[in-house]
Amino acid sequence: METPCIVINEATVRRNIQRMVAGLRAHGIAHRPHFKTHKSVRLAKMQLEMGAAGITCASLGEGETLADGGVTDIFLAYPIIGARKLARLVELSRRTALCTVVNSIEGAEGLNAAFAAAGTRIKVLIELDGGMGRSGITLDNINAFAQAITALPGLELIGVMTYRGNIYQNRGESEYVAETRKEAADLLKAQRQLQEIGIQVDVISSGSSFSSKFPQHLQGLTEARAGTYIYNDVSQLSTGMIQVEDCALTVLATVVTCPDKNHAVIDAGSKTLSSDLAKHGPGYGYILEHPNATIEKLSEEHGYLRLPDGTQLNVGDTLHIIPNHVCAVVNLADTYWAFDGQAHTEHPVDARGKSR
Amino acid sequence: METPCIVINEATVRRNIQRMVAGLRAHGIAHRPHFKTHKSVRLAKMQLEMGAAGITCASLGEGETLADGGVTDIFLAYPIIGARKLARLVELSRRTALCTVVNSIEGAEGLNAAFAAAGTRIKVLIELDGGMGRSGITLDNINAFAQAITALPGLELIGVMTYRGNIYQNRGESEYVAETRKEAADLLKAQRQLQEIGIQVDVISSGSSFSSKFPQHLQGLTEARAGTYIYNDVSQLSTGMIQVEDCALTVLATVVTCPDKNHAVIDAGSKTLSSDLAKHGPGYGYILEHPNATIEKLSEEHGYLRLPDGTQLNVGDTLHIIPNHVCAVVNLADTYWAFDGQAHTEHPVDARGKSR
């Protein structure tokens, strides 16, 4: 394998999926994993075979890639805006069991116009504000918003979803649990409020790989959309809730120069590792072979390592690096190598770069 | 054009190239632009037609893409390490006028073994330390290093090069000029030192888009490898040495939600704009339509805008954003749209993701 490249351990991937599905199932919650992390149809199908109830994706292009690959139970968790994209969405809905999200009146009206004109309907979930100021309807406004949605003939309101990404800003298990409980409580409150005004929603969909680690606190929700958990990364690791052996993806890199005894330069820079920082902790990745070395800086094709005294690296050495943020790293690579314990096989990152 | 996407203004691109070529030429310096910024064979050919003397690239894959597209005068400014890559390098050298870099004895010996075994030679430039601690031979060591290189039959030593990327950490024209003069002085000193021990090097190659803005201070060098200048970006803009109208590339994005009157969310996140920060200044890009708005945070498919009082945005509005770091943004996109004053035409980013 020439470097820099992505290598995944299939056994770890399978163990991560198995644990996630089983953990959620024990609390009556379906797993609808997010495609944005791996962007691989092969892995989406593995998730489905291992018990996932459908796939979540972040863009039309990801949804089309899934459909082209034969995956047809899709939740597109992004508001689709604009005539050309809406036409693609209508097309996609004709060949899949598709559901999407609404979080603004303008967006909902656009969807409605496109689907009503096509003589069909689209299932939608209302996005509930996840406390990130990013998007979503607040509990104060959700009743009026839901009433407006149900008045639109092209939309079929079936649920409520949220993404509470701020959980990653917290520290320590008690804070994580508190945030997870808040996520579940808000979603269930939204469901109750809507029920009180005569609107029944059956899908209650929660967010992150992180809250999914506490399924006992998600009781009452119907599905969880964890994505990153399939590979894990330094951001997950830095919370202390997973271990190095739970990380299924590494970047393989080669030492290209050793400027002095405390420094080495590798061929993985920001065009491979991305410039994403970990939520907690310094540097641009965790080096399996040298956990005490730091990737202290990146340029596009160079990673700058600071080595502790006594760590010797040589030009040509290869290193396995757990990246800070796997989703960003996968989206930079055309392919990944899967190691099944015996051999490495190269697979395409099918939806790489499909951000629209 | 569906968003998010990259749009370039051809007139600005041509003006940037014309100025760079003319500025350098007035001081007897050839322009060998860096391919890593645009990764487009079409634009490499435009640069050659407008007076560039050859192309610089950062990876074997970029070099192969250039050769496949018919561009054959190539400087590969990255040390090639490892048997499989060396075999590709030998192949590439058979169909191009190729030159590469050496910055370690181990790297030079690998090159030598591969080319000597193939019964041929490869032209090389010694990389001189650019003060970044990244790689390169110091002035103290360059004589001994050059003597070792000239003893290797598979290598033909033709020059010295450096990259002084720290120039971007400076502030103000006098600091930029001082750094540029240091760059030129070090390269010329290396040349003189080598001459004194009987080693004649004819190619003296300097680095950045930034030092190339001061060609009067690069006198005596033979070529400059500026890359970013073709598009420019917020990092260049934040130095005060270029203007908004010199920026040829924007990301076109759509407003997807407006959580409150001071916030909007766009469909360009870190998978489009990258997480790269500008050298000076906050945020993740400069919005042409609303220069006082700030892109204060990114998630993968969301950009979070803070709007000044009185700025009104609506779902569906489109915005043009000058990114912090164009090289990273281009490397995330499969295609770009070129606007020639009349129409937009889509072109491939030929070497996207070719980091190896």
Side-chain angles (χ1 to χ4, degrees):
Chain A
M1 294 178 295
E2 292 177 44
T3 63
C5 65
I6 288 175
V7 184
I8 72 164
N9 186 315
E10 294 269 293
T12 314
V13 163
R14 287 182 177 274
R15 194 177 64 220
N16 289 344
I17 299 170
Q18 190 274 327
R19 279 187 192 160
M20 178 62 71
V21 169
L24 291 169
R25 186 173 284 163
H27 296 275
I29 304 164
H31 179 36
R32 185 181 281 277
H34 212 309
F35 186 57
K36 76 182 174 68
T37 300
H38 56 69
K39 290 180 177 260
S40 162
V41 172
R42 185 183 76 92
L43 293 177
K45 287 180 169 173
M46 185 188 292
Q47 289 170 314
L48 291 169
E49 281 158 18
M50 292 180 69
I55 302 290
T56 304
C57 66
S59 70
L60 257 171
E62 286 183 358
E64 290 163 347
T65 302
L66 284 164
D68 291 347
V71 175
T72 55
D73 189 339
I74 300 170
F75 172 48
L76 171 47
Y78 203 89
I80 299 304
I81 308 292
R84 293 185 58 154
K85 280 193 179 169
L86 286 166
R88 284 169 61 198
L89 189 69
V90 169
E91 278 311 302
L92 182 61
S93 76
R94 295 195 196 282
R95 56 186 179 126
T96 55
L98 185 65
C99 174
T100 189
V101 72
V102 284
N103 58 17
S104 73
I105 290 292
E106 301 90 329
E109 286 171 348
L111 266 187
N112 177 58
F115 279 83
T120 177
R121 301 178 83 192
I122 176 88
K123 288 187 168 65
V124 295
L125 271 60
I126 293 175
E127 183 180 6
L128 181 68
D129 174 44
M132 297 176 70
R134 135 169 147 175
S135 54
I137 309 298
T138 60
L139 282 169
D140 286 348
N141 295 322
I142 200 167
N143 286 14
F145 185 74
Q147 281 167 328
I149 298 307
T150 52
L152 297 172
L155 305 189
E156 180 186 354
L157 177 60
I158 62 162
V160 185
M161 61 82 74
T162 198
Y163 177 66
R164 210 161 174 88
N166 286 349
I167 193 167
Y168 291 107
Q169 308 303 332
N170 291 313
R171 299 301 294 262
E173 188 166 347
S174 64
E175 285 189 31
Y176 301 138
V177 166
E179 192 77 19
T180 300
R181 292 172 68 103
K182 174 102 176 88
E183 178 179 8
D186 279 2
L187 283 166
L188 294 171
K189 186 164 184 209
Q191 185 184 36
R192 277 197 310 278
Q193 281 187 200
L194 296 181
Q195 204 155 27
E196 283 162 15
I197 59 167
I199 298 173
Q200 178 66 33
V201 290
D202 295 325
V203 178
I204 310 294
S205 174
S206 87
S208 67
S209 283
F210 217 72
S211 61
S212 300
K213 289 184 173 48
F214 308 100
Q216 66 275 30
H217 301 298
L218 296 175
Q219 204 95 30
L221 309 193
T222 66
E223 67 175 33
R225 306 187 310 278
T228 310
Y229 83 91
I230 189 172
Y231 289 150
N232 287 311
D233 56 20
V234 175
S235 279
Q236 299 281 330
L237 202 54
S238 69
T239 64
M241 300 298 298
I242 62 155
Q243 307 304 318
V244 168
E245 53 268 30
D246 301 321
C247 294
L249 181 148
T250 54
V251 168
L252 186 67
T254 299
V255 174
V256 294
T257 52
C258 297
D260 62 51
K261 76 177 182 55
N262 287 116
H263 291 88
V265 177
I266 55 172
D267 60 3
S270 62
K271 282 179 173 170
T272 299
L273 291 169
S274 89
S275 295
D276 283 14
L277 297 169
K279 297 298 172 184
H280 311 295
Y284 291 94
Y286 176 99
I287 304 173
L288 283 189
E289 291 84 354
H290 300 285
N292 295 319
T294 311
I295 306 175
E296 54 182 9
K297 201 174 66 164
L298 300 178
S299 53
E300 287 163 54
E301 288 91 7
H302 300 81
Y304 301 75
L305 274 52
R306 180 180 291 275
L307 309 175
D309 286 338
T311 295
Q312 168 82 36
L313 287 180
N314 296 303
V315 170
D317 287 353
T318 54
L319 302 172
H320 291 81
I321 301 162
I322 303 172
N324 282 349
H325 184 191
V326 281
C327 309
V329 169
V330 167
N331 189 50
L332 285 161
D334 289 326
T335 64
Y336 64 97
W337 291 90
F339 179 65
D340 65 5
Q342 308 247 293
H344 289 85
T345 309
E346 194 170 14
H347 299 282
V349 180
D350 303 292
R352 197 223 66 76
K354 295 202 183 293
S355 296
R356 57 177 181 258
Chain B
M1 293 178 297
E2 292 177 45
T3 63
C5 65
I6 288 175
V7 185
I8 72 165
N9 187 313
E10 294 270 294
T12 313
V13 162
R14 286 180 176 276
R15 194 175 66 219
N16 289 344
I17 299 171
Q18 189 276 325
R19 279 186 191 161
M20 178 62 70
V21 169
L24 291 168
R25 186 174 283 163
H27 297 274
I29 304 164
H31 178 37
R32 185 181 281 276
H34 212 309
F35 186 57
K36 76 181 174 71
T37 300
H38 56 70
K39 290 180 176 261
S40 161
V41 172
R42 185 183 77 91
L43 293 176
K45 287 182 170 171
M46 184 188 291
Q47 289 171 313
L48 291 169
E49 281 158 18
M50 292 180 70
I55 302 291
T56 304
C57 66
S59 70
L60 257 171
E62 286 183 359
E64 290 163 347
T65 302
L66 284 164
D68 291 347
V71 175
T72 55
D73 190 338
I74 299 171
F75 173 47
L76 171 47
Y78 203 89
I80 299 303
I81 308 292
R84 293 185 58 154
K85 280 192 178 167
L86 286 165
R88 285 168 61 197
L89 189 69
V90 169
E91 278 311 302
L92 182 62
S93 76
R94 295 194 197 281
R95 57 187 179 126
T96 55
L98 184 66
C99 175
T100 189
V101 71
V102 283
N103 58 17
S104 73
I105 290 291
E106 300 91 329
E109 285 172 348
L111 265 187
N112 178 59
F115 280 84
T120 176
R121 301 179 83 192
I122 176 87
K123 288 187 168 65
V124 295
L125 273 59
I126 293 175
E127 183 180 4
L128 182 68
D129 173 45
M132 297 175 70
R134 136 167 146 175
S135 53
I137 309 297
T138 61
L139 282 168
D140 286 347
N141 295 323
I142 199 167
N143 286 15
F145 186 74
Q147 281 166 328
I149 299 306
T150 52
L152 298 172
L155 305 188
E156 181 186 354
L157 177 60
I158 63 162
V160 185
M161 62 81 75
T162 198
Y163 176 66
R164 212 165 171 85
N166 286 349
I167 192 167
Y168 290 107
Q169 308 301 334
N170 291 311
R171 300 301 295 261
E173 186 165 349
S174 65
E175 284 190 31
Y176 301 138
V177 166
E179 192 76 21
T180 301
R181 292 172 69 104
K182 175 99 175 90
E183 178 179 8
D186 280 1
L187 283 166
L188 293 171
K189 185 162 185 213
Q191 185 184 36
R192 276 198 310 278
Q193 281 187 200
L194 296 181
Q195 204 153 28
E196 283 163 15
I197 58 166
I199 298 174
Q200 178 66 34
V201 290
D202 296 326
V203 178
I204 311 293
S205 174
S206 88
S208 68
S209 284
F210 217 74
S211 62
S212 299
K213 289 184 171 49
F214 309 100
Q216 66 276 29
H217 300 298
L218 296 175
Q219 205 96 30
L221 309 194
T222 65
E223 67 176 31
R225 306 186 313 275
T228 310
Y229 83 92
I230 189 172
Y231 289 150
N232 286 312
D233 56 21
V234 174
S235 279
Q236 298 282 328
L237 201 57
S238 68
T239 64
M241 300 299 298
I242 62 154
Q243 308 303 318
V244 168
E245 53 269 29
D246 300 321
C247 294
L249 180 148
T250 53
V251 168
L252 186 67
T254 300
V255 175
V256 294
T257 51
C258 297
D260 61 52
K261 76 179 185 50
N262 287 115
H263 292 88
V265 178
I266 56 173
D267 60 2
S270 62
K271 281 180 173 168
T272 299
L273 291 169
S274 87
S275 295
D276 283 15
L277 296 168
K279 296 298 174 188
H280 310 296
Y284 291 94
Y286 177 99
I287 303 174
L288 284 186
E289 292 84 354
H290 300 285
N292 295 320
T294 311
I295 306 176
E296 54 182 9
K297 201 174 67 163
L298 300 178
S299 52
E300 288 164 51
E301 288 90 5
H302 300 81
Y304 301 74
L305 275 51
R306 179 180 292 275
L307 309 175
D309 286 338
T311 294
Q312 168 81 37
L313 287 179
N314 296 302
V315 171
D317 287 353
T318 54
L319 301 172
H320 291 80
I321 301 162
I322 303 172
N324 282 348
H325 184 192
V326 281
C327 309
V329 169
V330 167
N331 190 50
L332 286 162
D334 289 326
T335 65
Y336 63 97
W337 291 90
F339 179 65
D340 65 4
Q342 309 246 294
H344 289 85
T345 310
E346 194 170 15
H347 298 282
V349 179
D350 302 292
R352 195 223 68 74
K354 295 200 182 296
S355 297
R356 57 178 180 254

